[in-house]
Amino acid sequence: MSRIGRLPIQIPAGVTVAIDGQNVAVKGPKGELSLVVANPIEVALEENQVLVTRPNDERDSRSLHGLTRTLIANQIIGVTDGYTKGLEVVGTGYRVALKGANLEFALGFSHPVVVEPPAGISFTVEGNNKVTVAGIDKQAVGEVAANIRKIRKPEPYKGKGVRYAGEIVRRKAGKAGK
């Protein structure tokens, strides 16, 4: 039995979970999320808990069991607390500014790079080199942060670029280092 999949998910106060066949809808103070559960997995609601079960021990069922439970738990955390991902802009002359809801990056290109937030995602800027991506969907927050980082990845010689908060960039010595 899956150690993660068999754990019940506690539903906090202020959150409602609606199960309609294979559709799971989670509604909370920050918003609403929905998930379509893969076919062999079954989701049930019992006494302020969500239980995820699998009908057999086939390979597909086993692999989807813990995943489904984690996805539902992430939705419940998202509608109560939300998710954030921090980014840092490192480099001489590299900076970021908030223009309305959009981010405007100066990253050494001949033009500023403008990033528009998708639905459900918001940006906050601290100073001129720290960005926080926030939202209720963990997958969307991570994807937007990864796409921003992809604009100018941290390079290994000087460490310039956009990196995650707390990310350690491995540095190379370069030609002069002996």
Side-chain angles (χ1 to χ4, degrees):
M1 195 64 163
S2 170
R3 291 182 185 164
I4 294 173
R6 70 176 175 212
L7 297 174
I9 305 167
Q10 298 294 330
I11 302 172
V15 176
T16 58
V17 177
I19 299 170
D20 180 28
Q22 295 299 99
N23 295 327
V24 177
V26 179
K27 190 181 240 180
K30 289 198 176 244
E32 184 175 353
L33 293 170
S34 63
L35 171 73
V36 178
V37 177
N39 205 5
I41 304 299
E42 297 159 2
V43 180
L45 192 61
E46 289 182 13
E47 301 173 4
N48 215 22
Q49 291 181 338
V50 178
L51 300 175
V52 180
T53 57
R54 65 177 189 234
N56 51 34
D57 279 344
E58 290 183 14
R59 186 180 185 99
D60 290 342
S61 299
R62 287 196 323 252
S63 64
L64 291 170
H65 190 197
L67 171 72
T68 304
R69 188 242 179 237
T70 303
L71 291 175
I72 294 171
N74 286 346
Q75 287 187 334
I76 291 174
I77 293 169
V79 297
T80 53
D81 301 331
Y83 288 99
T84 60
K85 194 83 169 172
L87 296 166
E88 298 172 352
V89 180
V90 177
T92 306
Y94 287 14
R95 62 185 178 279
V96 61
L98 197 60
K99 302 278 185 182
N102 300 340
L103 288 177
E104 188 175 283
F105 287 93
L107 296 173
F109 298 117
S110 61
H111 54 82
V113 180
V114 177
V115 177
E116 296 180 14
I121 301 293
S122 62
F123 298 129
T124 55
V125 176
E126 299 172 27
N128 61 356
N129 64 346
K130 289 190 180 357
V131 178
T132 304
V133 181
I136 62 172
D137 188 2
K138 185 175 187 179
Q139 186 269 335
V141 169
E143 185 176 3
V144 169
N147 287 338
I148 291 172
R149 182 181 181 271
K150 202 186 308 183
I151 295 169
R152 177 75 85 176
K153 288 184 184 173
E155 52 98 18
Y157 296 102
K158 292 186 179 180
K160 293 166 56 167
V162 180
R163 62 176 78 168
Y164 296 119
E167 179 182 3
I168 297 169
V169 177
R170 289 186 58 190
R171 304 289 292 275
K172 291 184 178 179
K175 289 183 181 178
K178 291 183 179 174

